[in-house]
mmCIF file of all heavy atoms in Angstrom:
data_model
loop_
_atom_site.group_PDB
_atom_site.id
_atom_site.type_symbol
_atom_site.label_atom_id
_atom_site.label_comp_id
_atom_site.label_asym_id
_atom_site.label_seq_id
_atom_site.Cartn_x
_atom_site.Cartn_y
_atom_site.Cartn_z
ATOM 1 N N ARG T 393 11.900 2.369 12.526
ATOM 2 C CA ARG T 393 12.606 1.088 12.353
ATOM 3 C C ARG T 393 13.845 1.234 11.459
ATOM 4 O O ARG T 393 14.826 0.505 11.624
ATOM 5 C CB ARG T 393 11.635 0.051 11.748
ATOM 6 C CG ARG T 393 12.249 -1.329 11.486
ATOM 7 C CD ARG T 393 12.676 -1.993 12.801
ATOM 8 N NE ARG T 393 13.291 -3.297 12.587
ATOM 9 C CZ ARG T 393 14.582 -3.493 12.302
ATOM 10 N NH1 ARG T 393 15.396 -2.449 12.189
ATOM 11 N NH2 ARG T 393 15.056 -4.714 12.143
ATOM 12 N N MET T 394 13.760 2.196 10.510
ATOM 13 C CA MET T 394 14.860 2.368 9.558
ATOM 14 C C MET T 394 15.786 3.520 9.961
ATOM 15 O O MET T 394 16.589 3.987 9.147
ATOM 16 C CB MET T 394 14.305 2.608 8.142
ATOM 17 C CG MET T 394 13.422 1.504 7.606
ATOM 18 S SD MET T 394 14.143 -0.151 7.694
ATOM 19 C CE MET T 394 15.385 -0.021 6.410
ATOM 20 N N CYS T 395 15.686 3.952 11.229
ATOM 21 C CA CYS T 395 16.586 5.002 11.754
ATOM 22 C C CYS T 395 16.452 6.314 11.000
ATOM 23 O O CYS T 395 17.449 6.981 10.703
ATOM 24 C CB CYS T 395 18.045 4.558 11.652
ATOM 25 S SG CYS T 395 18.615 3.767 13.110
ATOM 26 N N MET T 396 15.211 6.656 10.647
ATOM 27 C CA MET T 396 14.981 7.883 9.876
ATOM 28 C C MET T 396 14.120 8.826 10.716
ATOM 29 O O MET T 396 13.405 8.373 11.612
ATOM 30 C CB MET T 396 14.269 7.534 8.556
ATOM 31 C CG MET T 396 15.078 6.564 7.708
ATOM 32 S SD MET T 396 14.144 5.873 6.332
ATOM 33 C CE MET T 396 14.558 7.008 5.034
ATOM 34 N N PRO T 397 14.152 10.128 10.444
ATOM 35 C CA PRO T 397 13.361 11.060 11.267
ATOM 36 C C PRO T 397 11.867 10.958 10.950
ATOM 37 O O PRO T 397 11.501 10.722 9.791
ATOM 38 C CB PRO T 397 13.903 12.437 10.857
ATOM 39 C CG PRO T 397 14.449 12.237 9.487
ATOM 40 C CD PRO T 397 14.930 10.815 9.397
ATOM 41 N N ALA T 398 11.039 11.146 11.978
ATOM 42 C CA ALA T 398 9.584 11.161 11.745
ATOM 43 C C ALA T 398 9.222 12.440 11.001
ATOM 44 O O ALA T 398 9.895 13.467 11.149
ATOM 45 C CB ALA T 398 8.851 11.110 13.078
ATOM 46 N N VAL T 399 8.176 12.349 10.188
ATOM 47 C CA VAL T 399 7.647 13.562 9.540
ATOM 48 C C VAL T 399 6.505 14.060 10.426
ATOM 49 O O VAL T 399 5.572 13.298 10.692
ATOM 50 C CB VAL T 399 7.101 13.245 8.126
ATOM 51 C CG1 VAL T 399 6.566 14.503 7.465
ATOM 52 C CG2 VAL T 399 8.176 12.605 7.262
ATOM 53 N N PRO T 400 6.555 15.312 10.892
ATOM 54 C CA PRO T 400 5.457 15.793 11.750
ATOM 55 C C PRO T 400 4.105 15.604 11.051
ATOM 56 O O PRO T 400 3.952 15.961 9.869
ATOM 57 C CB PRO T 400 5.786 17.278 11.949
ATOM 58 C CG PRO T 400 7.264 17.373 11.689
ATOM 59 C CD PRO T 400 7.589 16.319 10.664
ATOM 60 N N GLY T 401 3.152 15.022 11.789
ATOM 61 C CA GLY T 401 1.853 14.669 11.208
ATOM 62 C C GLY T 401 1.146 15.852 10.567
ATOM 63 O O GLY T 401 0.534 15.706 9.506
ATOM 64 N N ASP T 402 1.235 17.044 11.191
ATOM 65 C CA ASP T 402 0.510 18.199 10.632
ATOM 66 C C ASP T 402 1.093 18.604 9.276
ATOM 67 O O ASP T 402 0.358 18.908 8.334
ATOM 68 C CB ASP T 402 0.484 19.377 11.630
ATOM 69 C CG ASP T 402 1.872 19.784 12.097
ATOM 70 O OD1 ASP T 402 2.819 18.965 11.988
ATOM 71 O OD2 ASP T 402 2.032 20.923 12.566
ATOM 72 N N ILE T 403 2.415 18.532 9.146
ATOM 73 C CA ILE T 403 3.046 18.906 7.865
ATOM 74 C C ILE T 403 2.696 17.857 6.805
ATOM 75 O O ILE T 403 2.356 18.178 5.661
ATOM 76 C CB ILE T 403 4.587 19.012 8.019
ATOM 77 C CG1 ILE T 403 4.930 20.085 9.053
ATOM 78 C CG2 ILE T 403 5.252 19.315 6.680
ATOM 79 C CD1 ILE T 403 6.412 20.267 9.305
ATOM 80 N N PHE T 404 2.778 16.587 7.206
ATOM 81 C CA PHE T 404 2.464 15.460 6.306
ATOM 82 C C PHE T 404 1.049 15.651 5.739
ATOM 83 O O PHE T 404 0.819 15.616 4.524
ATOM 84 C CB PHE T 404 2.554 14.174 7.126
ATOM 85 C CG PHE T 404 2.737 12.906 6.361
ATOM 86 C CD1 PHE T 404 3.570 11.904 6.852
ATOM 87 C CD2 PHE T 404 2.070 12.674 5.173
ATOM 88 C CE1 PHE T 404 3.750 10.710 6.177
ATOM 89 C CE2 PHE T 404 2.227 11.478 4.485
ATOM 90 C CZ PHE T 404 3.063 10.495 4.992
ATOM 91 N N CYS T 405 0.086 15.870 6.641
ATOM 92 C CA CYS T 405 -1.325 15.977 6.208
ATOM 93 C C CYS T 405 -1.540 17.214 5.349
ATOM 94 O O CYS T 405 -2.247 17.156 4.333
ATOM 95 C CB CYS T 405 -2.255 16.021 7.417
ATOM 96 S SG CYS T 405 -2.238 14.473 8.338
ATOM 97 N N GLU T 406 -0.924 18.322 5.739
ATOM 98 C CA GLU T 406 -1.127 19.548 4.967
ATOM 99 C C GLU T 406 -0.533 19.402 3.562
ATOM 100 O O GLU T 406 -1.115 19.871 2.576
ATOM 101 C CB GLU T 406 -0.508 20.740 5.690
ATOM 102 C CG GLU T 406 -0.999 22.041 5.066
ATOM 103 C CD GLU T 406 -0.405 23.287 5.675
ATOM 104 O OE1 GLU T 406 0.237 23.201 6.734
ATOM 105 O OE2 GLU T 406 -0.591 24.348 5.052
ATOM 106 N N ALA T 407 0.610 18.733 3.488
ATOM 107 C CA ALA T 407 1.249 18.535 2.176
ATOM 108 C C ALA T 407 0.336 17.699 1.283
ATOM 109 O O ALA T 407 0.128 18.015 0.104
ATOM 110 C CB ALA T 407 2.599 17.865 2.353
ATOM 111 N N ILE T 408 -0.225 16.643 1.835
ATOM 112 C CA ILE T 408 -1.102 15.782 1.041
ATOM 113 C C ILE T 408 -2.358 16.534 0.615
ATOM 114 O O ILE T 408 -2.759 16.506 -0.547
ATOM 115 C CB ILE T 408 -1.438 14.500 1.818
ATOM 116 C CG1 ILE T 408 -0.184 13.637 1.844
ATOM 117 C CG2 ILE T 408 -2.639 13.756 1.206
ATOM 118 C CD1 ILE T 408 -0.336 12.243 2.281
ATOM 119 N N GLU T 409 -2.961 17.242 1.571
ATOM 120 C CA GLU T 409 -4.191 17.976 1.237
ATOM 121 C C GLU T 409 -3.933 19.024 0.169
ATOM 122 O O GLU T 409 -4.715 19.188 -0.776
ATOM 123 C CB GLU T 409 -4.763 18.642 2.485
ATOM 124 C CG GLU T 409 -5.436 17.658 3.410
ATOM 125 C CD GLU T 409 -6.497 18.335 4.248
ATOM 126 O OE1 GLU T 409 -7.538 18.729 3.703
ATOM 127 O OE2 GLU T 409 -6.259 18.468 5.468
ATOM 128 N N THR T 410 -2.828 19.754 0.295
ATOM 129 C CA THR T 410 -2.534 20.821 -0.670
ATOM 130 C C THR T 410 -2.280 20.225 -2.052
ATOM 131 O O THR T 410 -2.770 20.717 -3.065
ATOM 132 C CB THR T 410 -1.315 21.651 -0.202
ATOM 133 O OG1 THR T 410 -1.480 21.980 1.171
ATOM 134 C CG2 THR T 410 -1.152 22.919 -1.005
ATOM 135 N N LEU T 411 -1.512 19.135 -2.074
ATOM 136 C CA LEU T 411 -1.174 18.494 -3.348
ATOM 137 C C LEU T 411 -2.430 17.934 -4.033
ATOM 138 O O LEU T 411 -2.640 18.127 -5.239
ATOM 139 C CB LEU T 411 -0.171 17.369 -3.056
ATOM 140 C CG LEU T 411 0.601 16.766 -4.205
ATOM 141 C CD1 LEU T 411 1.403 17.832 -4.952
ATOM 142 C CD2 LEU T 411 1.557 15.687 -3.672
ATOM 143 N N VAL T 412 -3.271 17.269 -3.246
ATOM 144 C CA VAL T 412 -4.485 16.669 -3.815
ATOM 145 C C VAL T 412 -5.452 17.768 -4.252
ATOM 146 O O VAL T 412 -6.084 17.678 -5.316
ATOM 147 C CB VAL T 412 -5.136 15.693 -2.806
ATOM 148 C CG1 VAL T 412 -6.522 15.259 -3.266
ATOM 149 C CG2 VAL T 412 -4.240 14.472 -2.589
ATOM 150 N N ASP T 413 -5.524 18.820 -3.465
ATOM 151 C CA ASP T 413 -6.387 19.938 -3.813
ATOM 152 C C ASP T 413 -5.941 20.544 -5.150
ATOM 153 O O ASP T 413 -6.747 20.756 -6.063
ATOM 154 C CB ASP T 413 -6.300 20.975 -2.693
ATOM 155 C CG ASP T 413 -7.204 22.165 -2.937
ATOM 156 O OD1 ASP T 413 -8.261 21.972 -3.563
ATOM 157 O OD2 ASP T 413 -6.860 23.277 -2.517
ATOM 158 N N LEU T 414 -4.636 20.750 -5.269
ATOM 159 C CA LEU T 414 -4.071 21.359 -6.474
ATOM 160 C C LEU T 414 -4.285 20.480 -7.713
ATOM 161 O O LEU T 414 -4.593 20.969 -8.791
ATOM 162 C CB LEU T 414 -2.568 21.563 -6.226
ATOM 163 C CG LEU T 414 -1.760 22.383 -7.202
ATOM 164 C CD1 LEU T 414 -2.288 23.806 -7.256
ATOM 165 C CD2 LEU T 414 -0.290 22.385 -6.765
ATOM 166 N N ASP T 415 -4.122 19.176 -7.543
ATOM 167 C CA ASP T 415 -4.242 18.252 -8.682
ATOM 168 C C ASP T 415 -5.567 17.490 -8.647
ATOM 169 O O ASP T 415 -5.660 16.357 -9.123
ATOM 170 C CB ASP T 415 -3.046 17.282 -8.704
ATOM 171 C CG ASP T 415 -1.803 17.928 -9.313
ATOM 172 O OD1 ASP T 415 -1.954 18.978 -9.972
ATOM 173 O OD2 ASP T 415 -0.697 17.397 -9.129
ATOM 174 N N ARG T 416 -6.609 18.114 -8.095
ATOM 175 C CA ARG T 416 -7.903 17.419 -7.935
ATOM 176 C C ARG T 416 -8.477 16.948 -9.270
ATOM 177 O O ARG T 416 -9.178 15.956 -9.328
ATOM 178 C CB ARG T 416 -8.915 18.280 -7.183
ATOM 179 C CG ARG T 416 -9.232 19.589 -7.860
ATOM 180 C CD ARG T 416 -10.421 20.295 -7.214
ATOM 181 N NE ARG T 416 -10.169 20.654 -5.817
ATOM 182 C CZ ARG T 416 -11.127 20.683 -4.896
ATOM 183 N NH1 ARG T 416 -12.357 20.362 -5.214
ATOM 184 N NH2 ARG T 416 -10.863 21.043 -3.671
ATOM 185 N N ASP T 417 -8.172 17.670 -10.350
ATOM 186 C CA ASP T 417 -8.720 17.265 -11.658
ATOM 187 C C ASP T 417 -8.078 15.972 -12.159
ATOM 188 O O ASP T 417 -8.532 15.386 -13.142
ATOM 189 C CB ASP T 417 -8.509 18.377 -12.698
ATOM 190 C CG ASP T 417 -9.339 19.605 -12.363
ATOM 191 O OD1 ASP T 417 -10.271 19.484 -11.545
ATOM 192 O OD2 ASP T 417 -9.041 20.691 -12.899
ATOM 193 N N TRP T 418 -7.005 15.538 -11.492
ATOM 194 C CA TRP T 418 -6.335 14.290 -11.863
ATOM 195 C C TRP T 418 -6.971 13.078 -11.172
ATOM 196 O O TRP T 418 -6.546 11.942 -11.382
ATOM 197 C CB TRP T 418 -4.849 14.352 -11.480
ATOM 198 C CG TRP T 418 -4.028 15.210 -12.383
ATOM 199 C CD1 TRP T 418 -3.892 16.575 -12.322
ATOM 200 C CD2 TRP T 418 -3.220 14.780 -13.480
ATOM 201 N NE1 TRP T 418 -3.042 17.007 -13.312
ATOM 202 C CE2 TRP T 418 -2.610 15.921 -14.034
ATOM 203 C CE3 TRP T 418 -2.931 13.539 -14.042
ATOM 204 C CZ2 TRP T 418 -1.745 15.873 -15.120
ATOM 205 C CZ3 TRP T 418 -2.069 13.478 -15.128
ATOM 206 C CH2 TRP T 418 -1.487 14.633 -15.658
ATOM 207 N N ILE T 419 -7.977 13.316 -10.329
ATOM 208 C CA ILE T 419 -8.609 12.181 -9.631
ATOM 209 C C ILE T 419 -9.629 11.542 -10.576
ATOM 210 O O ILE T 419 -10.632 12.178 -10.918
ATOM 211 C CB ILE T 419 -9.317 12.619 -8.329
ATOM 212 C CG1 ILE T 419 -8.354 13.407 -7.440
ATOM 213 C CG2 ILE T 419 -9.892 11.406 -7.598
ATOM 214 C CD1 ILE T 419 -8.992 13.997 -6.173
ATOM 215 N N PRO T 420 -9.402 10.301 -11.001
ATOM 216 C CA PRO T 420 -10.367 9.694 -11.931
ATOM 217 C C PRO T 420 -11.697 9.461 -11.210
ATOM 218 O O PRO T 420 -11.703 8.977 -10.079
ATOM 219 C CB PRO T 420 -9.719 8.364 -12.326
ATOM 220 C CG PRO T 420 -8.412 8.303 -11.623
ATOM 221 C CD PRO T 420 -8.306 9.423 -10.652
ATOM 222 N N PRO T 421 -12.811 9.803 -11.859
ATOM 223 C CA PRO T 421 -14.102 9.701 -11.172
ATOM 224 C C PRO T 421 -14.709 8.301 -11.182
ATOM 225 O O PRO T 421 -15.659 8.042 -10.474
ATOM 226 C CB PRO T 421 -14.981 10.675 -11.950
ATOM 227 C CG PRO T 421 -14.380 10.725 -13.315
ATOM 228 C CD PRO T 421 -12.924 10.396 -13.185
ATOM 229 N N THR T 422 -14.145 7.403 -11.987
ATOM 230 C CA THR T 422 -14.789 6.087 -12.134
ATOM 231 C C THR T 422 -14.520 5.171 -10.937
ATOM 232 O O THR T 422 -13.435 5.197 -10.358
ATOM 233 C CB THR T 422 -14.288 5.375 -13.403
ATOM 234 O OG1 THR T 422 -12.918 5.696 -13.567
ATOM 235 C CG2 THR T 422 -15.056 5.771 -14.631
#
Side-chain angles (χ1 to χ4, degrees):
R393 179 64 181 85
M394 301 308 288
C395 268
M396 301 168 93
V399 180
D402 55 340
I403 300 179
F404 200 141
C405 294
E406 193 182 349
I408 288 193
E409 285 206 70
T410 313
L411 195 58
V412 169
D413 182 31
L414 190 61
D415 280 344
R416 60 170 62 212
D417 293 344
W418 285 82
I419 307 175
T422 36

